[in-house]
Amino acid sequence: MAQTGGKALVQWLVAALLIALLCVAQAVVICNVETSRLNLCRAAITGRYPPPPSRRCCAVIKQANLPCLCSYKSLLPAAGIDPKNALALPGKCGLRTPRRC
C-alpha cells in the first residue's frame, strides 16, 4: 500500500512540475523542445473540437522527440490537455505517432 501511495505522490509531483514548467516564461527544454514553444500547439490539443494545428505548431512537433513526449502522456489531463487530441497531433502534422504512445 505504501508503494502505491508513494507512486501516486511522485506522479502528482511530476504533474505539478510539468504544469509549472508550462506556465513559466523562461524556456526549459523537454524532449528537444522548449516548453514555451509547446504553447504554440495548445489550441490544437485542448477543447472538445480543437482547430487543426498551425504551421508553427507542426514545426515544433517535427523537431520534438516524440517517444520522449509520449512518456508524459499520463500527465496531460492535469495540464488541461486531452490525450486523444495530443496523440492525433503528429498525424495532423504529417508524422507518425510512435507505436508505444
Side-chain angles (χ1 to χ4, degrees), residues 38 41 44-45 51-55 57-70 73 76 81-101:
L38 287 173
C41 296
I45 56 177
S54 67
R55 287 183 191 172
C57 169
C58 286
V60 170
I61 296 303
K62 287 178 181 178
Q63 81 175 48
N65 177 337
L66 293 179
C68 174
L69 284 177
C70 287
K73 177 176 64 173
L76 296 177
I81 298 169
D82 183 335
K84 289 180 185 177
N85 293 343
L87 292 175
L89 193 57
K92 292 179 179 180
C93 290
L95 301 170
R96 287 189 176 164
T97 303
R99 269 194 166 157
R100 296 189 181 195
C101 203

Side-chain angles (χ1 to χ4, degrees), residues 21-22 24-29 33-41:
L21 290 174
L22 291 173
V24 173
Q26 294 179 336
V28 175
V29 177
V33 179
E34 291 180 4
T35 54
S36 61
R37 296 197 68 218
L38 287 173
N39 283 327
L40 293 171
C41 296

Side-chain angles (χ1 to χ4, degrees), residues 1-60:
M1 187 81 172
Q3 286 181 332
T4 303
K7 187 176 180 181
L9 177 61
V10 169
Q11 287 177 337
W12 277 105
L13 288 173
V14 171
L17 177 62
L18 181 62
I19 291 168
L21 290 174
L22 291 173
C23 296
V24 173
Q26 294 179 336
V28 175
V29 177
I30 296 178
C31 303
N32 295 343
V33 179
E34 291 180 4
T35 54
S36 61
R37 296 197 68 218
L38 287 173
N39 283 327
L40 293 171
C41 296
R42 192 146 184 84
I45 56 177
T46 55
R48 191 171 211 152
Y49 302 104
S54 67
R55 287 183 191 172
R56 292 175 67 196
C57 169
C58 286
V60 170

